[in-house]
Amino acid sequence: MKKVLLSVATMMAVNSFAMAGGDIAPVPVAQEIDDTGWYGGLGIAYDRVYSTNHKWFQITPTQDEVGKLVGIIGYDFNEYIGVEGRIGKSLFEEDYSDLTTYSLFLKPHYRFRDRDNLSDDSGYFSVYGLLGIGYVKVKGENGKTPAHSDVIGKTILSDTSFQWGLGLSYTIVERPDDKRYALRDTWTFFIDYTSYVKNGKINSTLYEYDPKTYHKLSVDGLTAGVIYHF
């Protein structure tokens, strides 16, 4: 009797699946998103080196306009936080400063993207911060308004201190059908503001100014560039 009942139950179950089309719906699998990995990039910076008065893209007393090349290497731990190192070296200056910068940042970021529809996304914007420590070195140069004669070719400022910045970027996703939506093989274009040093003490005059008044230097700048995630 038990065998008969088991056979009947089995036939009823098979018949039910057959009437329903015979297919068992697969269990949905959560989409894996890979937001980790290394990246590297290059940027061009417009930096200001100044003592007291300063303005963007204008000539003011004690302010030097510096063009700088920036190398970048970083690692994203997830979609919200990463670390980034930068090295910058001036390519040209208007007046008195040969500038070198080193930076190590913690990089919090937020990406504006639809996580529920990643397969149709070809790109997205991000905002990020830069918080860390770095080193700044300014050597005297013989520009339009040169450094004081006793410091041309010598160090005016050597400072290690807190550095910070804010930025905006846009990432191009070349393979939106990638189910993992990995950052690998993507390009990111960015622009940011960075404060490298504020009121760092110097031991010499910039030009012929009174060293009792012009005894500090600050450095900040705007950087634009491109990053490749590999």
Side-chain angles (χ1 to χ4, degrees), residues 40-75:
L42 287 174
I44 296 293
Y46 162 78
D47 287 347
R48 304 179 303 174
V49 182
Y50 59 90
S51 181
T52 54
N53 301 318
H54 60 283
K55 295 181 180 179
W56 289 102
F57 306 106
Q58 294 186 30
I59 299 175
T60 59
T62 81
Q63 177 172 302
D64 197 1
E65 316 291 305
V66 178
K68 188 179 70 180
L69 181 66
V70 181
I72 300 171
I73 187 73
Y75 184 83

Side-chain angles (χ1 to χ4, degrees), residues 21-183:
D23 295 328
I24 300 177
V27 177
V29 178
Q31 188 176 26
E32 178 189 357
I33 302 173
D34 185 359
D35 279 318
T36 65
W38 293 94
Y39 62 86
L42 287 174
I44 296 293
Y46 162 78
D47 287 347
R48 304 179 303 174
V49 182
Y50 59 90
S51 181
T52 54
N53 301 318
H54 60 283
K55 295 181 180 179
W56 289 102
F57 306 106
Q58 294 186 30
I59 299 175
T60 59
T62 81
Q63 177 172 302
D64 197 1
E65 316 291 305
V66 178
K68 188 179 70 180
L69 181 66
V70 181
I72 300 171
I73 187 73
Y75 184 83
D76 284 318
F77 296 107
N78 52 50
E79 70 169 321
Y80 299 112
I81 196 74
V83 292
E84 184 171 297
R86 297 188 179 190
I87 299 176
K89 175 64 177 176
S90 58
L91 299 173
F92 58 86
E93 65 285 322
E94 185 176 23
D95 295 314
Y96 62 85
S97 56
D98 178 13
L99 177 62
T100 304
T101 60
Y102 298 90
S103 306
L104 180 61
F105 293 120
L106 188 67
K107 187 178 182 181
H109 43 70
Y110 182 80
R111 296 166 181 155
F112 294 94
R113 60 184 181 182
D114 185 359
R115 292 177 63 89
D116 296 327
N117 191 26
L118 297 179
S119 61
D120 293 330
D121 191 2
S122 60
Y124 58 88
F125 283 97
S126 301
V127 292
Y128 59 88
L130 300 169
L131 301 169
I133 191 169
Y135 172 73
V136 176
K137 183 176 182 179
V138 178
K139 295 176 63 176
E141 270 292 336
N142 189 16
K144 292 181 180 179
T145 307
H148 197 270
S149 58
D150 66 343
V151 293
I152 292 179
K154 299 180 181 179
T155 299
I156 299 175
L157 172 70
S158 179
D159 185 274
T160 300
S161 59
F162 172 73
Q163 298 181 355
W164 65 274
L166 293 171
L168 175 68
S169 67
Y170 184 78
T171 298
I172 298 174
V173 181
E174 297 181 352
R175 296 178 299 177
D177 58 338
D178 186 348
K179 294 185 180 303
R180 295 187 308 137
Y181 199 73
L183 286 176

